[in-house]
Structure formats: C-alpha cells, structure tokens
Amino acid sequence: MLLAAAALTKTYRLGRVDVPALRGVDLTVQRGEFIAITGPSGSGKSTLMHILGCLDTPTSGSYRIDGEDVGTLRGKDLARVRNRKVGFVFQTFNLMPRLTVEENVALPLKYRGGMARPERRKRALALLERLGLSDRVGHRPDELSGGQRQRVAIARALVGEPAILMADEPTGNLDSKAGANVLDTFDELHRMGHTIILVTHDPNVAARAERIVHISDGVVV
Amino acid sequence: MRPGEALELASDAWREIRAHPMRSLLTLSGIVFGAASLVSMASLATGLREMAYADLRAIGFPRSYALRDFGPRSDAVTATERRHTGLRIADLEALRAVRGVASVHGRAFAGEQLVVGPRDRRSVPVEGADAGYLELRNLRIVSGRTITPVDVMHVARVAVIGEEMRRDLFGTTDPIGRRIRIDGVGFTVVGVVAPMPIGFIPADFSWVARRIYIPYTFVSRYRLGEGRVSQIIVTAREDAEFASVMQAGSALVRQRHGGVEDFNLRNEAADLLSDYAMADGILGGWNGVMFAIAGVTLVVGGIGLFSVLLISVRERVREIGIRKALGASDGDIMQLFLAESLTLAVIGSVAGVGGGVALIMITKLIGASFGKDFVIPLSVPGIGFAIAFALGVGIVFGWYPARKAAKLDPIQAMGGV
Ligand SMILES: Nc1ncnc2c1ncn2[C@@H]1O[C@H](COP(=O)(O)OP(=O)(O)OP(=O)(O)O)[C@@H](O)[C@H]1O
Ligand SMILES: [Mg+2]
C-alpha cells in the first residue's frame, strides 16, 4: 500500500466557530493507481488533497506514505516529504514568474540538497523533452499558453520522481482543448506507471480515472 | 554549505536585487553612507593621532631629564648642608663622564631684565642656554646663528632673540650683528629664534618668541654667581640606557653634594609619555564618538534594509508558498532572504568603503591646496570593521523579515490555492 489515510479530520477555526472541513476520511491508494476525487464545492476535496500532499496537517487521524507516518511530521521532515514523495499540480499553475521554464522545473531539486546545478538542469530538460516542451525551456511562464504552463507545472511536479502525483483541479483554469491535452498527459503518465490522484468536480474528467472517490460534506460517500 | 551553494544563493539574491533597481539603490544608500563614514572616520582618527604624535615629537625632549636647582636650603643646619647650595657648572662637567650620557646642557635663568634696543626698551625674560638645548627644544633659528659651544666657553656676549623681540627692539631693520643692552651690558645679536609651528596640540609655545637667549655661562658668572646653574639637562644615548643614565646621574650629583637634596629630578621623557597617553586618551574618546556616529548611520541604513526586506517578503508571499510546497524548508526560505540582505550589505559596504577612500583622497587634496600635508593613512581595521559591521547589520536586520517569510504557511501563502 502506497498511501493509507485513516479517520482524517480537519477543523478550521474561524474566530470562535469551528468549521469541520474533513470529518473522518479513510482512503488507501495502491501503487500505480489513478484516482479521481470528486464532490460538490466546499465538500473538502482541496482540504483532503493538501493533507495528502503534506501541504497541511490533519487535526486528527493517521496518514502514512510508504509506511512512514507522515501525519505527525512537522517542519524540516514535512519539507522533505513534500520534496521527495509528492508532486503537486495546482489549478492556478503556481509557476515562478521570474524564472524560466527550465529553472521552474528544476526548482524542487534545489531543495533536495547536494545536487549540482548541471545535474538539475539535465533532469529538468529531459522531463521537458518528454512532455514536448523542449522548444520552450528558456521562456518565462507569461510567454506560454495555459495548457503549456500546466504541462510545465506537471514537469516540475515529476522532476523529483515522487511516489505520487497529485493535482487539484488541474484543468480548472484551462479551455477544453488545453484541458484535454493536460488530461492526455495524465493518462500517459498513468500508463507509464505513475500513481496519480486528481481532484475534479467535472464528471467527464473523473471518468478517466480507474477509481472515483466521492466526497460530500467532509466524508467519503 | 558548499561554496557552490553559497554562490548560487548570492546570484539568486543578485537577480532579485536587480529586479527592483530603484528600491535596492535606496536601501543601499544607507549602508553605503554608514560604511563610508566609518572608514573615513577611522582613517581620519588614525591620521589625527599620527599628526598629534608628530607634533609631540616636534616639541621634543627625547631621552632627556632635568636636574633642577633648589638653591640653599632654608633649614640648613649642618656644615655640609650649608656648604652645598645648589647645582654648579662643575656638576654639569662631572655628568659628562657618566656612562651612556649623550650630552649635558646648562640652563641659567636671569629672570626679567631690562633690554634696550635701537627702537625700544623692554623688560624681557633672559635665559642662559646653549646650542644643544635650543636644538633639543626644537627652537628654530630663523636668521643668523645659534649660541655655539665657543660662545659658551668664552662667556661671549652674544644673544639669540625671539622673533617678537626683534620686532619690538628693531622694527623692520635686520638685527643680526646689531647691539642691544641687557641690564646695562652690551650684547651682539647673532640670531633670531622662533617656536616650531604646532599643529594639533593646543599648547602655546609663543613665549619662545618673547625671550632672549644668551650663553648660560654668562648668566652663571654675572647673575647667579659661584658657577651656579638653574638646570642641568642630561640626554641619554640609547632609550634602553635612559633609566640607568638618570639613576647614575642623580646619584653622582647627590654624592658630590654630600647627600644634600639641593636639587630635584624631572623626567621630561616620562612627562612627554604622559602627554602621549593623555593625547591618546583624548583621541580615543574622539574615536569612540566618531565611531558611534558612523555606527548610528549604519544602523539607520540597517533599518532601511529592514523595511525594504519586509516589503520584499510581502511581495513574494506567493513565491514563498510555492517554494515551500515544492519542499523548501524554513531554513531554505530564511537563507533566501538573508542572502538578499547580506548581498545588499556586501555591495553597500564595499561601495561605502570605496566612497570613504575617495573622501579621504578629497580631504588630502583639499589639505594640499592649503599647503597642508594631511597624513591620513587608510585605516585597515576601519575598513574591516566597516564591512564586518555592515554584514552584522545585514544579518541582524535581515533576520526578522527572513524569519517572517520562513514561517509562512504554504497554502495560505499561495492564496488558499
Ligand atoms: N483556510 C480555511 N479557513 C477556514 N475554512 C476553510 C479554509 N479552507 C477551507 N475552508 C472550509 O473548509 C471547507 C472545505 O473547503 P475545500 O476548499 O476543501 O472545498 P473544496 O471541496 O475544495 O471546494 P471547491 O470545489 O470549491 O474547491 C469549506 O467549507 C471551506 O469554507
Ligand atoms: Mg478546491
């Protein structure tokens, strides 16, 4: 089992009011699976993804990646898991505007420590080649189309060879053609053996996954 | 951290700095001024000290001490006490034989005497001296000659007059070879003497210009009588021998006087050293004040750096969130901002040091245009201190913004995603 979450809860505090975003989520993911998480707006999809991607910590419950209890990790250890185990793709791409495509893709390797610049560069270029972006390596993000930007973001998520690729509404900011293109990329990565978790509220997108996890009001239904 | 990593951090920081040239320049200016003032202050302080020391040396009593006549003791009881009534030329001659002695000079004070010149008459302090003594005190012969050993030996009636006396007694006519009367006795003026110019030491040596010097043998013979002298100045050949020369000299004279304390000893070299120490103390205090002012400038520069970094952090919140999401630790983010702060500090302090050096050059040029040679050695410790202090300011004032950045929550920083 690659990923095992049990009884995950997340409660936000807004002033004096507790807002329960997750109310006991159990989820297991096998290596090589392609899972779609769907659910209505505000159901807690993003909250769950952030916890699974170690960008946030659960209020309670246990969470393991590769057998390591990561739900309780903090600080440096959490940073290490983010860097090595998870590749995250955001709805709004979140590329660094002042860096070139190649520098953006190589950025996670910088936080791995001890990898020399030429090596980081080599890996970034190899990945960009695989994703068909070789002719864009020297460009800045604002010189690319939305679809291209998201593929750069995918390359950046994959460059550290993470155990899981996670994407929160990766097509949410794309037109249908670019969106289809990005989804094709996910399909292909899945075929190559990558483990993928994707959040979407679009049933057509979810349909491309092997398994659909439906969330409503903070619980899996 | 490997040098490669440090270099990469610095180059990333440089990129960030260049992305906001105006803002960075404004930040830098504070550090530049601070470092520049530190360097120029430190150098100026060293220069002032050197110049002050040069002045002290110019006053000059190198390796010399004085035996000062006490005259007959008023409470003299024994026959020995009554027999020994102060310093004599014979003591002076005996001192020449002491090992390590370089020279011995006599001084004999005649006090205020009525001096009559062709233009005017004045009551003037008349002092018996010799060439060596005038030289020892760095008195400058501005025209004519000094009192020679031959004058001393022959008790010659020659006078070296102070510059102001020349004006008073002779007006505009050349006094050399002219005659004056001192207390009724005719003297030939052979030289005019002036005090050394004193630069930074607030001491008035102008009395030199209002005095008249004649051979001490004359004052001794005709004014004090019995071969008496007012002071005997002894100089040692070597610094190392000075103490022993002083010891042996005073022991010799005391022995010659049957143990009677009819003179005392004044260590002029030690007095000079204490002057040095005092000057050092004054300059040290000055240095402190100047350093503090320069330091405050740098700290103000640091506050500028602080606010600019805070702006930079606020502007880059999203970027910080992304970096953290990609696996940057709090430490990585801190490094990012400390590198920016330090890079600014390095650029600022180096530019400031350059500015400080330029300032010194300009000061020297201005000095030269007034005909003054300003000795301002570049203070290497000052430069080191300026750079170190600027780096310290960079770290101290960069710390809080960097920490603030490092503690950001990635999701919130990215705007909730
Ligand atoms: N930082 C936060 N502070 C307070 N409440 C929050 C915060 N983030 C999310 N929530 C709340 O938690 C619940 C789940 O939000 P979440 O973003 O996970 O929903 P979602 O399923 O991703 O919705 P969408 O489809 O609109 O993106 C919502 O009620 C939301 O208002
Ligand atoms: Mg969401």
Side-chain angles (χ1 to χ4, degrees):
Chain A
M1 200 136 35
L2 177 62
L3 200 145
L8 285 182
T9 71
K10 179 73 182 182
T11 305
Y12 293 107
R13 268 203 96 98
L14 283 175
R16 296 173 159 273
V17 200
D18 282 343
V19 181
L22 295 180
R23 300 185 299 161
V25 172
D26 299 304
L27 183 70
T28 57
V29 179
Q30 306 290 338
R31 202 174 293 276
E33 266 194 297
F34 182 3
I35 296 178
I37 297 175
T38 63
S41 180
S43 56
K45 303 183 296 292
S46 292
T47 304
L48 177 62
M49 278 297 260
H50 294 156
I51 291 171
L52 295 180
C54 292
L55 299 178
D56 206 348
T57 50
T59 307
S60 71
S62 85
Y63 176 38
R64 292 170 174 277
I65 300 177
D66 265 343
E68 184 184 5
D69 185 358
V70 296
T72 53
L73 294 181
R74 297 290 182 273
K76 242 183 141 86
D77 298 314
L78 206 57
R80 174 181 51 83
V81 175
R82 276 177 207 149
N83 186 251
R84 293 181 178 257
K85 298 287 185 184
V86 184
F88 216 107
V89 175
F90 304 93
Q91 178 174 347
T92 52
F93 323 128
N94 278 341
L95 297 174
M96 305 277 273
R98 272 207 286 277
L99 301 188
T100 64
V101 163
E102 175 212 317
E103 286 167 333
N104 261 290
V105 172
L107 193 56
L109 298 176
K110 200 168 180 167
Y111 298 120
R112 190 152 289 198
M115 194 184 288
R117 207 179 192 134
E119 175 63 19
R120 301 196 309 244
R121 211 180 127 85
K122 208 181 90 191
R123 292 197 188 191
L125 289 177
L127 210 52
L128 284 166
E129 163 115 61
R130 244 174 75 192
L131 293 175
L133 290 160
S134 291
D135 52 339
R136 290 282 184 266
V137 291
H139 289 238
R140 313 264 159 197
D142 58 8
E143 296 161 2
L144 303 180
S145 74
Q148 284 170 330
R149 280 184 223 182
Q150 195 59 300
R151 291 217 311 276
V152 170
I154 293 170
R156 185 179 65 182
L158 288 174
V159 76
E161 295 172 347
I164 327 132
L165 182 62
M166 301 189 185
D168 190 351
E169 307 270 13
T171 58
N173 275 26
L174 300 176
D175 62 34
S176 52
K177 186 160 166 278
N181 193 295
V182 164
L183 288 173
D184 289 343
T185 305
F186 277 113
D187 279 339
E188 197 184 320
L189 290 169
H190 175 229
R191 265 200 304 283
M192 286 160 62
H194 285 276
T195 310
I196 300 168
I197 307 178
L198 184 147
V199 164
T200 180
H201 59 260
D202 183 344
N204 294 325
V205 173
R208 300 176 77 136
E210 290 173 324
R211 176 152 72 100
I212 297 176
V213 175
H214 196 80
I215 290 193
S216 177
D217 211 8
V219 287
V220 177
V221 292
Chain B
M1 202 189 303
R2 289 182 298 108
E5 279 175 50
L7 210 71
E8 198 176 332
L9 268 172
S11 87
D12 285 355
W14 175 237
R15 197 200 302 221
E16 198 56 45
I17 289 163
R18 270 203 346 212
H20 311 278
M22 200 59 207
R23 194 170 81 190
S24 302
L25 218 66
L26 276 172
T27 320
L28 280 174
S29 61
I31 307 242
V32 170
F33 285 130
S37 52
L38 258 182
V39 167
S40 47
M41 289 294 166
S43 299
L44 217 64
T46 332
L48 270 174
R49 184 205 202 97
E50 304 247 314
M51 281 189 275
Y53 277 5
D55 290 340
L56 275 173
R57 263 179 249 118
I59 299 164
F61 312 94
R63 297 193 290 273
S64 74
Y65 66 93
L67 298 175
R68 298 195 297 190
D69 181 51
F70 266 9
R73 292 179 65 117
S74 53
D75 57 348
V77 190
T78 65
T80 337
E81 279 171 351
R82 274 199 293 268
R83 196 164 63 244
H84 294 287
T85 53
L87 297 172
R88 296 288 189 277
I89 292 180
D91 294 323
L92 189 153
E93 297 303 335
L95 278 165
R96 290 195 203 281
V98 172
R99 253 195 62 202
V101 166
S103 63
V104 183
H105 313 284
R107 294 183 81 190
F109 304 131
E112 300 260 331
Q113 307 259 300
L114 183 69
V115 178
V116 182
R119 183 163 171 263
D120 202 358
R121 50 178 59 209
R122 287 274 144 127
S123 185
V124 181
V126 174
E127 183 177 336
D130 63 10
Y133 175 76
L134 295 184
E135 199 180 320
L136 199 64
R137 290 291 144 107
N138 278 309
L139 299 189
R140 199 158 44 99
I141 300 291
V142 289
S143 72
R145 63 168 176 86
T146 184
I147 299 166
T148 64
V150 177
D151 296 332
V152 171
M153 202 195 308
H154 292 160
V155 199
R157 293 192 208 165
V158 295
V160 169
I161 63 174
E163 214 175 16
E164 278 183 38
M165 288 301 104
R166 178 196 48 193
R167 223 176 308 143
D168 291 348
L169 299 173
F170 293 94
T172 50
T173 51
D174 181 12
I176 306 297
R178 305 287 294 270
R179 289 181 67 78
I180 52 174
R181 302 191 76 80
I182 299 175
D183 206 17
V185 181
F187 278 75
T188 307
V189 174
V190 294
V192 177
V193 78
M196 285 288 277
I198 302 298
F200 286 86
I201 294 297
D204 183 14
F205 286 86
S206 54
W207 49 264
V208 166
R210 291 192 293 272
R211 239 166 222 229
I212 289 180
Y213 298 89
I214 59 179
Y216 72 86
T217 43
F218 183 89
V219 177
S220 177
R221 184 178 296 176
Y222 298 107
R223 295 291 179 270
L224 305 179
E226 302 171 16
R228 290 175 57 180
V229 286
S230 311
Q231 284 187 10
I232 302 172
I233 311 287
V234 183
T235 65
R237 224 177 277 136
E238 306 281 345
D239 279 334
E241 289 176 346
F242 179 69
S244 68
V245 165
M246 193 162 71
Q247 193 92 52
S250 65
L252 174 73
V253 176
R254 195 169 294 115
Q255 181 219 323
R256 285 171 53 85
H257 292 207
V260 177
E261 294 282 342
D262 55 358
F263 67 97
N264 77 349
L265 194 74
R266 182 162 174 233
N267 182 347
E268 310 207 287
D271 292 351
L272 180 65
L273 280 179
S274 84
D275 285 354
Y276 268 37
M278 197 178 75
D280 231 18
I282 294 167
L283 287 173
W286 252 97
N287 284 3
V289 170
M290 293 198 289
F291 268 121
I293 293 170
V296 165
T297 318
L298 250 183
V299 169
V300 169
I303 292 169
L305 186 70
F306 178 79
S307 52
V308 166
L309 278 174
L310 274 184
I311 295 169
S312 176
V313 169
R314 193 175 314 152
E315 230 173 51
R316 293 166 73 185
V317 162
R318 189 183 178 79
E319 174 197 328
I320 294 160
I322 296 169
R323 286 180 189 269
K324 291 195 90 169
L326 297 178
S329 67
D330 291 7
D332 290 324
I333 302 296
M334 280 217 57
Q335 274 181 12
L336 201 70
F337 284 92
L338 281 181
E340 186 174 336
S341 170
L342 271 178
T343 305
L344 283 167
V346 167
I347 296 170
S349 60
V350 168
V353 165
V357 171
L359 216 66
I360 293 167
M361 300 294 184
I362 291 168
T363 311
K364 279 189 170 184
L365 280 179
I366 291 172
S369 76
F370 284 110
K372 277 245 174 212
D373 183 24
F374 284 149
V375 188
I376 311 174
L378 218 55
S379 166
V380 175
I383 291 175
F385 184 72
I387 290 177
F389 196 61
L391 294 190
V393 161
I395 290 177
V396 168
F397 287 97
W399 197 268
Y400 174 76
R403 179 131 198 93
K404 202 173 144 115
K407 287 292 163 205
L408 285 172
D409 175 76
I411 297 295
Q412 277 169 15
M414 284 187 293
V417 192

mmCIF file of all heavy atoms in Angstrom, chain A residues 45-46 168-169, chain B residues 417, ligand 2:
data_model
loop_
_atom_site.group_PDB
_atom_site.id
_atom_site.type_symbol
_atom_site.label_atom_id
_atom_site.label_comp_id
_atom_site.label_asym_id
_atom_site.label_seq_id
_atom_site.Cartn_x
_atom_site.Cartn_y
_atom_site.Cartn_z
ATOM 1 N N LYS A 45 -12.590 18.646 -0.761
ATOM 2 C CA LYS A 45 -11.651 17.992 -1.686
ATOM 3 C C LYS A 45 -10.248 18.585 -1.563
ATOM 4 O O LYS A 45 -9.258 17.859 -1.407
ATOM 5 C CB LYS A 45 -12.137 18.155 -3.132
ATOM 6 C CG LYS A 45 -13.523 17.622 -3.403
ATOM 7 C CD LYS A 45 -13.910 17.753 -4.853
ATOM 8 C CE LYS A 45 -14.022 19.181 -5.376
ATOM 9 N NZ LYS A 45 -15.151 19.937 -4.783
ATOM 10 N N SER A 46 -10.217 19.912 -1.637
ATOM 11 C CA SER A 46 -8.897 20.566 -1.576
ATOM 12 C C SER A 46 -8.238 20.327 -0.221
ATOM 13 O O SER A 46 -7.033 20.066 -0.140
ATOM 14 C CB SER A 46 -9.038 22.063 -1.824
ATOM 15 O OG SER A 46 -9.434 22.288 -3.149
ATOM 16 N N ASP A 168 -4.890 19.268 -8.093
ATOM 17 C CA ASP A 168 -6.162 19.825 -7.614
ATOM 18 C C ASP A 168 -6.754 20.672 -8.732
ATOM 19 O O ASP A 168 -6.230 21.743 -9.045
ATOM 20 C CB ASP A 168 -5.910 20.678 -6.361
ATOM 21 C CG ASP A 168 -7.220 21.073 -5.675
ATOM 22 O OD1 ASP A 168 -8.295 20.824 -6.258
ATOM 23 O OD2 ASP A 168 -7.141 21.632 -4.561
ATOM 24 N N GLU A 169 -7.812 20.149 -9.361
ATOM 25 C CA GLU A 169 -8.468 20.827 -10.491
ATOM 26 C C GLU A 169 -7.444 21.296 -11.528
ATOM 27 O O GLU A 169 -7.403 22.482 -11.858
ATOM 28 C CB GLU A 169 -9.256 22.056 -9.992
ATOM 29 C CG GLU A 169 -10.232 21.761 -8.878
ATOM 30 C CD GLU A 169 -11.615 21.382 -9.390
ATOM 31 O OE1 GLU A 169 -11.766 21.098 -10.607
ATOM 32 O OE2 GLU A 169 -12.543 21.364 -8.570
ATOM 33 N N VAL B 417 -4.988 28.436 -2.691
ATOM 34 C CA VAL B 417 -4.989 27.578 -3.878
ATOM 35 C C VAL B 417 -6.406 27.180 -4.268
ATOM 36 O O VAL B 417 -6.861 26.118 -3.964
ATOM 37 C CB VAL B 417 -4.125 26.309 -3.692
ATOM 38 C CG1 VAL B 417 -3.922 25.638 -5.029
ATOM 39 C CG2 VAL B 417 -2.821 26.681 -3.064
HETATM 40 MG MG MG C 2 -10.958 23.087 -4.001
#
